Amino acid sequence: GENVGLHLPTLSVQEGDNSIINCAYSNSASDYFIWYKQESGKGPQFIIDIRSNMDKRQGQRVTVLLNKTVKHLSLQIAATQPGDSAVYFCAVRVTGANNLFFGTGTRLTVIP
Amino acid sequence: DAGVIQSPRHEVTEMGQEVTLRCKPISGHNSLFWYRQTMMRGLELLIYFNNNVPIDDSGMPEDRFSAKMPNASFSTLKIQPSEPRDSAVYFCASSRRGDTEAFFGQGTRLTVV
């Protein structure tokens, strides 16, 4: 299995600042990692993913960093906007399994 | 593609009644997942299917819960009899295969009174 935790349940940032959301996992056999965004009343929406053979991946305004040594990944959002306000989940897959283990989520609030 | 489609969006039922939640995965996706989301426990995997075959149902809370996938385009999650503690948002998700991202439906908010 996998235990996925988040360092902070809530995060507030000023509009335009960068946001960093962290996630820790426990199983060294985890090989695939995803960040999801969930807005109120909606299902989780895929943001970005990274596989264990990489340590960094960039998307539009988002970057995921993976540190397999300490079993930690982070999501960085550049120039945070009000539309980024949501709950962010990291999800982890263990090698050989198909299912994803989800963290408890971090609620990001962007202050205009 | 319309994405993963779940119905109903909201369900209110009385304790003891049977509840059936429905899901249509994205066409061409081979894996289907049922999750339950509550404030206390977050997102929990209940069961998942690969090519319509249940692979892991260890997350199903108890025998009152059952899931089926009679074909590649339809799955149901049934609770019989329902209890107030089953109140939650139930999500269905699908992925092209097990090692790619899962796409979620809008969820069914179940309230058992």
mmCIF file of all heavy atoms in Angstrom, chain A residues 32 34 36 38 41-44 46 49 51 89 93 97-103, chain B residues 9 31 33 35 37 43 45 48 50 56 91 98-106:
data_model
loop_
_atom_site.group_PDB
_atom_site.id
_atom_site.type_symbol
_atom_site.label_atom_id
_atom_site.label_comp_id
_atom_site.label_asym_id
_atom_site.label_seq_id
_atom_site.Cartn_x
_atom_site.Cartn_y
_atom_site.Cartn_z
ATOM 1 N N TYR A 32 4.773 6.408 -10.011
ATOM 2 C CA TYR A 32 4.011 7.349 -10.838
ATOM 3 C C TYR A 32 3.248 8.274 -9.912
ATOM 4 O O TYR A 32 2.616 7.818 -8.946
ATOM 5 C CB TYR A 32 3.049 6.567 -11.744
ATOM 6 C CG TYR A 32 2.222 7.403 -12.682
ATOM 7 C CD1 TYR A 32 2.806 8.343 -13.517
ATOM 8 C CD2 TYR A 32 0.834 7.240 -12.748
ATOM 9 C CE1 TYR A 32 2.046 9.098 -14.391
ATOM 10 C CE2 TYR A 32 0.064 7.984 -13.618
ATOM 11 C CZ TYR A 32 0.678 8.914 -14.438
ATOM 12 O OH TYR A 32 -0.085 9.655 -15.307
ATOM 13 N N ILE A 34 0.864 11.965 -9.525
ATOM 14 C CA ILE A 34 -0.029 12.902 -10.212
ATOM 15 C C ILE A 34 -0.492 13.975 -9.234
ATOM 16 O O ILE A 34 -0.736 13.684 -8.055
ATOM 17 C CB ILE A 34 -1.282 12.186 -10.768
ATOM 18 C CG1 ILE A 34 -0.905 10.977 -11.620
ATOM 19 C CG2 ILE A 34 -2.142 13.147 -11.578
ATOM 20 C CD1 ILE A 34 -2.128 10.190 -12.099
ATOM 21 N N TYR A 36 -3.654 16.561 -8.717
ATOM 22 C CA TYR A 36 -5.013 16.866 -9.137
ATOM 23 C C TYR A 36 -5.484 18.148 -8.455
ATOM 24 O O TYR A 36 -5.075 18.455 -7.335
ATOM 25 C CB TYR A 36 -5.986 15.741 -8.743
ATOM 26 C CG TYR A 36 -5.938 14.516 -9.611
ATOM 27 C CD1 TYR A 36 -5.101 13.453 -9.295
ATOM 28 C CD2 TYR A 36 -6.739 14.410 -10.738
ATOM 29 C CE1 TYR A 36 -5.069 12.313 -10.086
ATOM 30 C CE2 TYR A 36 -6.721 13.267 -11.536
ATOM 31 C CZ TYR A 36 -5.881 12.224 -11.199
ATOM 32 O OH TYR A 36 -5.857 11.102 -11.986
ATOM 33 N N GLN A 38 -9.091 20.052 -7.345
ATOM 34 C CA GLN A 38 -10.525 19.827 -7.192
ATOM 35 C C GLN A 38 -11.211 21.120 -6.763
ATOM 36 O O GLN A 38 -10.939 21.635 -5.671
ATOM 37 C CB GLN A 38 -10.824 18.715 -6.178
ATOM 38 C CG GLN A 38 -12.299 18.358 -6.108
ATOM 39 C CD GLN A 38 -12.592 17.196 -5.188
ATOM 40 O OE1 GLN A 38 -11.821 16.887 -4.280
ATOM 41 N NE2 GLN A 38 -13.713 16.510 -5.396
ATOM 42 N N GLY A 41 -17.636 21.175 -5.748
ATOM 43 C CA GLY A 41 -18.717 20.568 -6.514
ATOM 44 C C GLY A 41 -18.292 19.827 -7.751
ATOM 45 O O GLY A 41 -19.132 19.383 -8.532
ATOM 46 N N LYS A 42 -16.978 19.673 -7.931
ATOM 47 C CA LYS A 42 -16.481 18.992 -9.128
ATOM 48 C C LYS A 42 -15.580 17.835 -8.755
ATOM 49 O O LYS A 42 -15.128 17.715 -7.617
ATOM 50 C CB LYS A 42 -15.711 19.978 -10.010
ATOM 51 C CG LYS A 42 -16.545 21.130 -10.542
ATOM 52 C CD LYS A 42 -15.723 21.999 -11.463
ATOM 53 C CE LYS A 42 -16.558 23.146 -12.040
ATOM 54 N NZ LYS A 42 -15.756 24.014 -12.943
ATOM 55 N N GLY A 43 -15.309 17.004 -9.728
ATOM 56 C CA GLY A 43 -14.370 15.923 -9.522
ATOM 57 C C GLY A 43 -12.942 16.407 -9.646
ATOM 58 O O GLY A 43 -12.672 17.470 -10.197
ATOM 59 N N PRO A 44 -11.993 15.645 -9.122
ATOM 60 C CA PRO A 44 -10.579 16.007 -9.275
ATOM 61 C C PRO A 44 -10.203 16.109 -10.748
ATOM 62 O O PRO A 44 -10.615 15.281 -11.561
ATOM 63 C CB PRO A 44 -9.853 14.851 -8.589
ATOM 64 C CG PRO A 44 -10.843 14.291 -7.615
ATOM 65 C CD PRO A 44 -12.169 14.431 -8.301
ATOM 66 N N PHE A 46 -7.026 16.462 -13.489
ATOM 67 C CA PHE A 46 -5.597 16.242 -13.703
ATOM 68 C C PHE A 46 -4.880 17.561 -13.990
ATOM 69 O O PHE A 46 -5.344 18.371 -14.774
ATOM 70 C CB PHE A 46 -5.414 15.274 -14.878
ATOM 71 C CG PHE A 46 -4.001 15.115 -15.350
ATOM 72 C CD1 PHE A 46 -3.156 14.218 -14.735
ATOM 73 C CD2 PHE A 46 -3.519 15.865 -16.412
ATOM 74 C CE1 PHE A 46 -1.852 14.058 -15.177
ATOM 75 C CE2 PHE A 46 -2.219 15.716 -16.859
ATOM 76 C CZ PHE A 46 -1.386 14.812 -16.242
ATOM 77 N N ASP A 49 1.664 15.224 -14.209
ATOM 78 C CA ASP A 49 2.164 13.975 -13.658
ATOM 79 C C ASP A 49 3.672 13.875 -13.854
ATOM 80 O O ASP A 49 4.273 14.647 -14.608
ATOM 81 C CB ASP A 49 1.453 12.767 -14.275
ATOM 82 C CG ASP A 49 1.653 12.666 -15.796
ATOM 83 O OD1 ASP A 49 2.308 13.545 -16.381
ATOM 84 O OD2 ASP A 49 1.127 11.699 -16.395
ATOM 85 N N ARG A 51 6.893 10.645 -13.653
ATOM 86 C CA ARG A 51 7.265 9.259 -13.379
ATOM 87 C C ARG A 51 8.572 9.239 -12.607
ATOM 88 O O ARG A 51 9.312 10.227 -12.571
ATOM 89 C CB ARG A 51 7.367 8.475 -14.691
ATOM 90 C CG ARG A 51 6.032 8.436 -15.416
ATOM 91 C CD ARG A 51 5.990 7.482 -16.584
ATOM 92 N NE ARG A 51 4.714 7.603 -17.293
ATOM 93 C CZ ARG A 51 3.609 6.964 -16.939
ATOM 94 N NH1 ARG A 51 3.621 6.153 -15.901
ATOM 95 N NH2 ARG A 51 2.492 7.140 -17.616
ATOM 96 N N PHE A 89 -4.636 17.689 -4.611
ATOM 97 C CA PHE A 89 -4.302 16.356 -4.132
ATOM 98 C C PHE A 89 -3.092 15.822 -4.881
ATOM 99 O O PHE A 89 -2.992 15.976 -6.106
ATOM 100 C CB PHE A 89 -5.446 15.377 -4.392
ATOM 101 C CG PHE A 89 -6.701 15.645 -3.620
ATOM 102 C CD1 PHE A 89 -7.720 16.399 -4.163
ATOM 103 C CD2 PHE A 89 -6.867 15.118 -2.355
ATOM 104 C CE1 PHE A 89 -8.878 16.634 -3.451
ATOM 105 C CE2 PHE A 89 -8.033 15.337 -1.642
ATOM 106 C CZ PHE A 89 -9.040 16.105 -2.190
ATOM 107 N N ARG A 93 1.088 6.053 -7.376
ATOM 108 C CA ARG A 93 0.869 4.667 -7.791
ATOM 109 C C ARG A 93 2.097 3.843 -7.452
ATOM 110 O O ARG A 93 3.227 4.256 -7.701
ATOM 111 C CB ARG A 93 0.600 4.603 -9.288
ATOM 112 C CG ARG A 93 0.155 3.225 -9.781
ATOM 113 C CD ARG A 93 0.100 3.202 -11.290
ATOM 114 N NE ARG A 93 1.425 3.064 -11.858
ATOM 115 C CZ ARG A 93 1.845 2.008 -12.555
ATOM 116 N NH1 ARG A 93 1.036 0.983 -12.723
ATOM 117 N NH2 ARG A 93 3.050 1.972 -13.082
ATOM 118 N N ALA A 97 0.808 -1.936 -9.484
ATOM 119 C CA ALA A 97 -0.599 -1.724 -9.141
ATOM 120 C C ALA A 97 -1.204 -0.736 -10.113
ATOM 121 O O ALA A 97 -0.503 0.063 -10.723
ATOM 122 C CB ALA A 97 -0.728 -1.210 -7.704
ATOM 123 N N ASN A 98 -2.501 -0.825 -10.289
ATOM 124 C CA ASN A 98 -3.178 0.104 -11.182
ATOM 125 C C ASN A 98 -3.823 1.269 -10.446
ATOM 126 O O ASN A 98 -4.113 2.295 -11.028
ATOM 127 C CB ASN A 98 -4.252 -0.623 -11.991
ATOM 128 C CG ASN A 98 -3.652 -1.397 -13.139
ATOM 129 O OD1 ASN A 98 -2.446 -1.366 -13.349
ATOM 130 N ND2 ASN A 98 -4.476 -2.103 -13.878
ATOM 131 N N ASN A 99 -4.075 1.097 -9.165
ATOM 132 C CA ASN A 99 -4.824 2.116 -8.465
ATOM 133 C C ASN A 99 -3.918 3.204 -7.922
ATOM 134 O O ASN A 99 -2.719 3.015 -7.728
ATOM 135 C CB ASN A 99 -5.622 1.498 -7.315
ATOM 136 C CG ASN A 99 -4.749 0.660 -6.400
ATOM 137 O OD1 ASN A 99 -4.052 -0.221 -6.863
ATOM 138 N ND2 ASN A 99 -4.769 0.948 -5.111
ATOM 139 N N LEU A 100 -4.508 4.369 -7.688
ATOM 140 C CA LEU A 100 -3.818 5.532 -7.153
ATOM 141 C C LEU A 100 -4.197 5.730 -5.693
ATOM 142 O O LEU A 100 -5.364 5.620 -5.325
ATOM 143 C CB LEU A 100 -4.195 6.778 -7.945
ATOM 144 C CG LEU A 100 -3.778 6.833 -9.410
ATOM 145 C CD1 LEU A 100 -4.426 8.023 -10.098
ATOM 146 C CD2 LEU A 100 -2.260 6.917 -9.524
ATOM 147 N N PHE A 101 -3.208 6.035 -4.875
ATOM 148 C CA PHE A 101 -3.448 6.400 -3.486
ATOM 149 C C PHE A 101 -3.411 7.919 -3.390
ATOM 150 O O PHE A 101 -2.444 8.550 -3.826
ATOM 151 C CB PHE A 101 -2.388 5.783 -2.575
ATOM 152 C CG PHE A 101 -2.440 4.294 -2.511
ATOM 153 C CD1 PHE A 101 -1.686 3.524 -3.381
ATOM 154 C CD2 PHE A 101 -3.236 3.648 -1.576
ATOM 155 C CE1 PHE A 101 -1.728 2.136 -3.332
ATOM 156 C CE2 PHE A 101 -3.290 2.269 -1.511
ATOM 157 C CZ PHE A 101 -2.538 1.509 -2.393
ATOM 158 N N PHE A 102 -4.442 8.491 -2.790
ATOM 159 C CA PHE A 102 -4.555 9.940 -2.719
ATOM 160 C C PHE A 102 -4.174 10.466 -1.358
ATOM 161 O O PHE A 102 -4.464 9.850 -0.325
ATOM 162 C CB PHE A 102 -5.992 10.371 -3.020
ATOM 163 C CG PHE A 102 -6.307 10.398 -4.480
ATOM 164 C CD1 PHE A 102 -6.622 9.231 -5.158
ATOM 165 C CD2 PHE A 102 -6.285 11.589 -5.187
ATOM 166 C CE1 PHE A 102 -6.908 9.248 -6.514
ATOM 167 C CE2 PHE A 102 -6.569 11.619 -6.543
ATOM 168 C CZ PHE A 102 -6.882 10.446 -7.209
ATOM 169 N N GLY A 103 -3.534 11.631 -1.341
ATOM 170 C CA GLY A 103 -3.301 12.353 -0.113
ATOM 171 C C GLY A 103 -4.585 13.005 0.359
ATOM 172 O O GLY A 103 -5.627 12.940 -0.313
ATOM 173 N N ARG B 9 -26.509 12.998 -10.171
ATOM 174 C CA ARG B 9 -25.573 13.932 -9.540
ATOM 175 C C ARG B 9 -25.818 14.021 -8.037
ATOM 176 O O ARG B 9 -24.900 14.211 -7.250
ATOM 177 C CB ARG B 9 -25.692 15.324 -10.159
ATOM 178 C CG ARG B 9 -25.157 15.447 -11.570
ATOM 179 C CD ARG B 9 -23.633 15.236 -11.623
ATOM 180 N NE ARG B 9 -22.882 16.019 -10.659
ATOM 181 C CZ ARG B 9 -22.517 17.274 -10.820
ATOM 182 N NH1 ARG B 9 -22.845 17.923 -11.928
ATOM 183 N NH2 ARG B 9 -21.833 17.908 -9.876
ATOM 184 N N SER B 31 -9.442 0.932 -17.793
ATOM 185 C CA SER B 31 -9.506 0.824 -16.339
ATOM 186 C C SER B 31 -10.585 1.748 -15.790
ATOM 187 O O SER B 31 -10.737 2.884 -16.245
ATOM 188 C CB SER B 31 -8.162 1.199 -15.708
ATOM 189 O OG SER B 31 -7.158 0.284 -16.083
ATOM 190 N N PHE B 33 -12.443 3.039 -12.019
ATOM 191 C CA PHE B 33 -12.263 3.117 -10.577
ATOM 192 C C PHE B 33 -13.505 3.741 -9.936
ATOM 193 O O PHE B 33 -14.080 4.679 -10.469
ATOM 194 C CB PHE B 33 -11.048 4.004 -10.234
ATOM 195 C CG PHE B 33 -9.784 3.648 -10.968
ATOM 196 C CD1 PHE B 33 -9.549 4.134 -12.247
ATOM 197 C CD2 PHE B 33 -8.824 2.844 -10.382
ATOM 198 C CE1 PHE B 33 -8.383 3.817 -12.927
ATOM 199 C CE2 PHE B 33 -7.652 2.524 -11.055
ATOM 200 C CZ PHE B 33 -7.435 3.008 -12.324
ATOM 201 N N TYR B 35 -14.376 5.653 -6.366
ATOM 202 C CA TYR B 35 -13.835 6.275 -5.167
ATOM 203 C C TYR B 35 -14.973 6.845 -4.332
ATOM 204 O O TYR B 35 -16.023 7.212 -4.845
ATOM 205 C CB TYR B 35 -12.885 7.434 -5.522
ATOM 206 C CG TYR B 35 -11.532 7.042 -6.039
ATOM 207 C CD1 TYR B 35 -11.333 6.821 -7.400
ATOM 208 C CD2 TYR B 35 -10.447 6.898 -5.185
ATOM 209 C CE1 TYR B 35 -10.077 6.481 -7.894
ATOM 210 C CE2 TYR B 35 -9.187 6.556 -5.677
ATOM 211 C CZ TYR B 35 -9.019 6.352 -7.030
ATOM 212 O OH TYR B 35 -7.778 6.007 -7.505
ATOM 213 N N GLN B 37 -15.507 9.922 -1.351
ATOM 214 C CA GLN B 37 -14.847 11.066 -0.740
ATOM 215 C C GLN B 37 -15.672 11.598 0.425
ATOM 216 O O GLN B 37 -16.860 11.909 0.285
ATOM 217 C CB GLN B 37 -14.631 12.196 -1.759
ATOM 218 C CG GLN B 37 -13.806 13.353 -1.214
ATOM 219 C CD GLN B 37 -13.492 14.399 -2.270
ATOM 220 O OE1 GLN B 37 -14.318 14.735 -3.110
ATOM 221 N NE2 GLN B 37 -12.263 14.911 -2.254
ATOM 222 N N LEU B 43 -10.269 10.847 -0.155
ATOM 223 C CA LEU B 43 -10.603 10.009 -1.302
ATOM 224 C C LEU B 43 -10.139 8.581 -1.041
ATOM 225 O O LEU B 43 -8.953 8.324 -0.902
ATOM 226 C CB LEU B 43 -9.923 10.542 -2.558
ATOM 227 C CG LEU B 43 -10.698 11.513 -3.424
ATOM 228 C CD1 LEU B 43 -9.769 12.200 -4.400
ATOM 229 C CD2 LEU B 43 -11.814 10.813 -4.169
ATOM 230 N N LEU B 45 -10.254 4.594 -2.454
ATOM 231 C CA LEU B 45 -10.569 3.696 -3.554
ATOM 232 C C LEU B 45 -11.439 2.558 -3.040
ATOM 233 O O LEU B 45 -11.074 1.885 -2.075
ATOM 234 C CB LEU B 45 -9.290 3.143 -4.164
ATOM 235 C CG LEU B 45 -9.482 2.131 -5.294
ATOM 236 C CD1 LEU B 45 -10.067 2.823 -6.527
ATOM 237 C CD2 LEU B 45 -8.176 1.447 -5.647
ATOM 238 N N TYR B 48 -11.604 -1.309 -8.353
ATOM 239 C CA TYR B 48 -11.306 -0.941 -9.722
ATOM 240 C C TYR B 48 -11.346 -2.152 -10.644
ATOM 241 O O TYR B 48 -11.155 -3.296 -10.200
ATOM 242 C CB TYR B 48 -10.002 -0.163 -9.846
ATOM 243 C CG TYR B 48 -8.723 -0.957 -9.739
ATOM 244 C CD1 TYR B 48 -8.087 -1.467 -10.864
ATOM 245 C CD2 TYR B 48 -8.107 -1.134 -8.506
ATOM 246 C CE1 TYR B 48 -6.893 -2.156 -10.767
ATOM 247 C CE2 TYR B 48 -6.910 -1.814 -8.402
ATOM 248 C CZ TYR B 48 -6.305 -2.316 -9.527
ATOM 249 O OH TYR B 48 -5.112 -2.995 -9.436
ATOM 250 N N ASN B 50 -10.223 -3.724 -14.563
ATOM 251 C CA ASN B 50 -9.409 -3.679 -15.777
ATOM 252 C C ASN B 50 -10.114 -4.522 -16.824
ATOM 253 O O ASN B 50 -10.412 -5.708 -16.564
ATOM 254 C CB ASN B 50 -8.004 -4.237 -15.537
ATOM 255 C CG ASN B 50 -7.052 -3.183 -15.038
ATOM 256 O OD1 ASN B 50 -7.395 -2.010 -14.904
ATOM 257 N ND2 ASN B 50 -5.843 -3.588 -14.743
ATOM 258 N N ASP B 56 -9.401 -5.347 -7.776
ATOM 259 C CA ASP B 56 -9.153 -5.152 -6.351
ATOM 260 C C ASP B 56 -10.388 -4.515 -5.730
ATOM 261 O O ASP B 56 -10.712 -3.384 -6.050
ATOM 262 C CB ASP B 56 -7.930 -4.263 -6.144
ATOM 263 C CG ASP B 56 -7.561 -4.094 -4.669
ATOM 264 O OD1 ASP B 56 -8.318 -4.566 -3.802
ATOM 265 O OD2 ASP B 56 -6.514 -3.491 -4.395
ATOM 266 N N PHE B 91 -17.175 9.016 -6.571
ATOM 267 C CA PHE B 91 -16.604 9.352 -7.871
ATOM 268 C C PHE B 91 -16.278 8.091 -8.650
ATOM 269 O O PHE B 91 -15.806 7.100 -8.103
ATOM 270 C CB PHE B 91 -15.311 10.160 -7.711
ATOM 271 C CG PHE B 91 -15.528 11.578 -7.265
ATOM 272 C CD1 PHE B 91 -15.268 11.956 -5.964
ATOM 273 C CD2 PHE B 91 -15.963 12.540 -8.169
ATOM 274 C CE1 PHE B 91 -15.462 13.261 -5.546
ATOM 275 C CE2 PHE B 91 -16.154 13.854 -7.765
ATOM 276 C CZ PHE B 91 -15.897 14.210 -6.449
ATOM 277 N N GLY B 98 -3.563 1.241 -16.796
ATOM 278 C CA GLY B 98 -3.292 1.432 -15.388
ATOM 279 C C GLY B 98 -2.199 2.429 -15.063
ATOM 280 O O GLY B 98 -2.164 2.975 -13.977
ATOM 281 N N ASP B 99 -1.310 2.676 -16.005
ATOM 282 C CA ASP B 99 -0.175 3.539 -15.683
ATOM 283 C C ASP B 99 -0.303 4.937 -16.259
ATOM 284 O O ASP B 99 0.690 5.631 -16.433
ATOM 285 C CB ASP B 99 1.120 2.889 -16.181
ATOM 286 C CG ASP B 99 1.131 2.718 -17.695
ATOM 287 O OD1 ASP B 99 0.066 2.848 -18.322
ATOM 288 O OD2 ASP B 99 2.219 2.439 -18.248
ATOM 289 N N THR B 100 -1.513 5.330 -16.544
ATOM 290 C CA THR B 100 -1.748 6.698 -17.007
ATOM 291 C C THR B 100 -2.728 7.381 -16.062
ATOM 292 O O THR B 100 -3.336 6.740 -15.213
ATOM 293 C CB THR B 100 -2.305 6.716 -18.438
ATOM 294 O OG1 THR B 100 -3.519 5.954 -18.473
ATOM 295 C CG2 THR B 100 -1.310 6.134 -19.409
ATOM 296 N N GLU B 101 -2.878 8.679 -16.261
ATOM 297 C CA GLU B 101 -3.722 9.435 -15.341
ATOM 298 C C GLU B 101 -5.172 8.994 -15.439
ATOM 299 O O GLU B 101 -5.648 8.558 -16.482
ATOM 300 C CB GLU B 101 -3.613 10.944 -15.612
ATOM 301 C CG GLU B 101 -4.262 11.412 -16.911
ATOM 302 C CD GLU B 101 -3.310 11.355 -18.087
ATOM 303 O OE1 GLU B 101 -2.353 10.554 -18.040
ATOM 304 O OE2 GLU B 101 -3.540 12.115 -19.050
ATOM 305 N N ALA B 102 -5.863 9.112 -14.321
ATOM 306 C CA ALA B 102 -7.282 8.801 -14.265
ATOM 307 C C ALA B 102 -8.085 10.087 -14.412
ATOM 308 O O ALA B 102 -7.739 11.112 -13.850
ATOM 309 C CB ALA B 102 -7.613 8.110 -12.942
ATOM 310 N N PHE B 103 -9.163 9.993 -15.179
ATOM 311 C CA PHE B 103 -10.074 11.120 -15.376
ATOM 312 C C PHE B 103 -11.329 10.871 -14.555
ATOM 313 O O PHE B 103 -11.922 9.793 -14.638
ATOM 314 C CB PHE B 103 -10.420 11.265 -16.867
ATOM 315 C CG PHE B 103 -9.250 11.649 -17.718
ATOM 316 C CD1 PHE B 103 -8.384 10.680 -18.207
ATOM 317 C CD2 PHE B 103 -8.996 12.977 -18.022
ATOM 318 C CE1 PHE B 103 -7.284 11.029 -18.993
ATOM 319 C CE2 PHE B 103 -7.904 13.331 -18.805
ATOM 320 C CZ PHE B 103 -7.048 12.353 -19.285
ATOM 321 N N PHE B 104 -11.718 11.873 -13.804
ATOM 322 C CA PHE B 104 -12.828 11.715 -12.884
ATOM 323 C C PHE B 104 -14.129 12.282 -13.454
ATOM 324 O O PHE B 104 -14.121 13.273 -14.189
ATOM 325 C CB PHE B 104 -12.530 12.433 -11.562
ATOM 326 C CG PHE B 104 -11.586 11.694 -10.669
ATOM 327 C CD1 PHE B 104 -10.230 11.642 -10.939
ATOM 328 C CD2 PHE B 104 -12.064 11.026 -9.548
ATOM 329 C CE1 PHE B 104 -9.359 10.948 -10.114
ATOM 330 C CE2 PHE B 104 -11.202 10.337 -8.715
ATOM 331 C CZ PHE B 104 -9.859 10.293 -8.998
ATOM 332 N N GLY B 105 -15.242 11.651 -13.043
ATOM 333 C CA GLY B 105 -16.541 12.224 -13.302
ATOM 334 C C GLY B 105 -16.855 13.316 -12.298
ATOM 335 O O GLY B 105 -16.035 13.641 -11.437
ATOM 336 N N GLN B 106 -18.047 13.874 -12.419
ATOM 337 C CA GLN B 106 -18.449 14.967 -11.537
ATOM 338 C C GLN B 106 -18.883 14.472 -10.155
ATOM 339 O O GLN B 106 -19.032 15.262 -9.235
ATOM 340 C CB GLN B 106 -19.595 15.760 -12.163
ATOM 341 C CG GLN B 106 -19.215 16.455 -13.458
ATOM 342 C CD GLN B 106 -18.479 17.765 -13.215
ATOM 343 O OE1 GLN B 106 -17.456 17.814 -12.534
ATOM 344 N NE2 GLN B 106 -18.988 18.831 -13.763
#
